[in-house]
Amino acid sequence: MLWLKWTPGRGGNAPVVVPGPGAKPVRGEIRVNKVLTAVRMFLLYAVTNKMVPAWVLEQIYEIGDSRDLPEEAQGESGGMRLRLRARHRVQEPETDIDRASDEEVVAMFLACRSARDRLTLLLLSRVGLRSGQVAGLRRSDSHLLMDSRPLGCGIEGAHVHVARRQNENGAWSKSKKAWAMPVDFLVVQAFDQYMLERHEHLPGRDSDFLLVNLFRPPYGKPVTTDAIGELCESLSRRARLGRMITPRMCRHAMASNVADAGGSLDEVQALLGQKNPHSPSPYLHPSRTRLRDAIERVPSPRLQFGGGDR
């Protein structure tokens, strides 16, 4: 761990390593942990294939449980689970996931060059789906009528069904729970524009995947989660935002907007498709206006106890 922190690579200028007060580490905490993780995986593979003795695992892992993990990393099923805990790990600085602001989302929306990209951005930032859930959506999951009973669905209003399933593009819904997510008129309109665009570019393709490749091969194949991340990066640069907006930041924006609009915690939890009531907490980023309103709602002690205006 010390070697990783202080020893420069082959391209480094300093042939001698002299760590001391004020010296700048060659690698940061996150980079060191990634290298350590890779080394552990190599050794685990070697033990599994009997290339090294089994006692090596005792040197790099200890038995732990899920109670020492952050709530958002414990999973939504609850309960304690045993796990192998790495012995060698550098403490990383805590970084909170920021939300994408409404101004940033609008700028990205205006920078979109296709109806498919606009729909993708709305599914992330206005519906609040994860990138794996967006890439895994099927056309049959979209019930955009006010009455879906002719489709065999009794849920009222326009909505999309989100379910975990095996997908050929590797998309995967993190939540084991299947739920129906309401969508508003803006999202329905984006669906309509995209389907017209899709029919124009791929009139003979009938893939059930909702989002497919329209502008580069392999045409008609479902988009991947990596492609959705690349789209957000491209839109961030094209809109000249000054920072990269990720799909996760868009999901945080949706949850925060619901809370700022007066939504309760259980409503945010249901809309995000989460099982644990504590899971929505990291997604809430109160606006300054809402924080100010919260302070203004606190009554003055002078008014409560008869002090008048003095």
Side-chain angles (χ1 to χ4, degrees):
M1 292 166 66
L2 289 174
W3 183 91
L4 285 171
K5 184 175 181 180
W6 296 108
T7 305
R10 294 182 178 180
N13 297 322
V16 180
V17 180
V18 187
K24 183 179 180 180
V26 177
R27 300 171 185 85
E29 292 87 351
I30 296 177
R31 178 62 176 171
V32 169
N33 281 336
K34 286 183 177 179
V35 174
L36 292 173
T37 300
V39 172
R40 284 195 295 269
M41 292 300 101
F42 277 120
L43 290 174
L44 184 60
Y45 174 84
V47 171
T48 303
N49 290 273
K50 303 185 186 310
M51 300 166 65
V52 298
W55 56 261
V56 170
L57 290 182
E58 300 175 5
Q59 308 301 313
I60 59 176
Y61 288 109
E62 61 182 10
I63 299 297
D65 58 59
S66 57
R67 291 177 299 179
D68 62 336
L69 294 174
E71 290 186 357
E72 56 269 23
Q74 293 185 15
E76 299 178 0
S77 58
M80 187 185 72
R81 293 176 298 169
L82 294 178
R83 64 186 182 91
L84 290 176
R85 181 166 53 196
R87 292 183 180 273
H88 309 94
R89 184 175 179 82
V90 181
Q91 183 67 35
E92 296 181 10
E94 294 187 4
T95 56
D96 295 329
I97 297 296
D98 193 10
R99 58 157 291 176
S101 67
D102 293 339
E103 293 78 9
E104 289 171 328
V105 173
V106 170
M108 294 170 67
F109 186 84
L110 295 176
C112 290
R113 295 174 177 172
S114 67
R116 186 198 62 184
D117 293 350
R118 289 192 291 271
L119 175 59
T120 302
L121 182 61
L122 289 177
L123 290 172
L124 294 171
S125 62
R126 195 161 183 87
V127 183
L129 300 182
R130 295 184 172 95
S131 56
Q133 294 165 343
V134 173
L137 280 177
R138 309 295 178 91
R139 288 194 292 175
S140 55
D141 294 331
S142 308
H143 294 171
L144 306 180
L145 303 174
M146 294 304 298
D147 186 358
S148 298
R149 284 178 294 182
L151 303 175
C153 177
I155 299 176
E156 182 181 355
H159 60 276
V160 294
H161 289 270
V162 183
R164 174 186 282 189
R165 54 169 72 97
Q166 294 286 346
N167 296 304
E168 64 178 87
N169 60 348
W172 185 256
S173 176
K174 181 180 177 181
S175 176
K176 298 179 181 179
K177 173 185 176 182
W179 82 100
M181 181 67 192
V183 298
D184 61 6
F185 174 75
L186 183 63
V187 178
V188 174
Q189 191 176 41
F191 264 97
D192 291 341
Q193 294 175 354
Y194 165 64
M195 295 311 297
L196 291 174
E197 180 182 74
R198 172 171 170 157
H199 179 72
E200 178 183 352
H201 286 81
L202 300 173
R205 306 292 179 91
D206 57 354
S207 170
D208 189 41
F209 279 91
L210 176 64
L211 301 174
V212 296
N213 293 334
L214 299 179
F215 310 107
R216 61 183 181 184
Y219 298 105
K221 291 295 184 179
V223 301
T224 63
T225 55
D226 289 340
I228 293 177
E230 293 170 2
L231 171 64
C232 289
E233 292 183 7
S234 176
L235 293 177
S236 300
R237 289 192 298 268
R238 208 178 299 159
R240 300 180 180 179
L241 298 181
R243 66 170 183 166
M244 293 297 175
I245 301 299
T246 65
R248 189 177 180 187
M249 294 168 67
C250 293
R251 178 173 165 86
H252 279 244
M254 175 270 179
S256 295
N257 284 337
V258 171
D260 289 341
S264 60
L265 195 61
D266 62 326
E267 291 172 339
V268 176
Q269 174 191 346
L271 291 174
L272 293 178
Q274 294 174 327
K275 182 178 179 180
N276 193 317
H278 300 290
S279 296
S281 299
Y283 289 87
L284 303 183
H285 306 265
S287 66
R288 296 186 182 276
T289 301
R290 186 151 66 97
L291 293 176
R292 171 60 59 184
D293 291 342
I295 291 296
E296 297 293 343
R297 288 195 300 268
V298 178
S300 170
R302 293 179 297 177
L303 297 178
Q304 284 183 298
F305 299 103
D309 294 332
R310 292 179 295 173

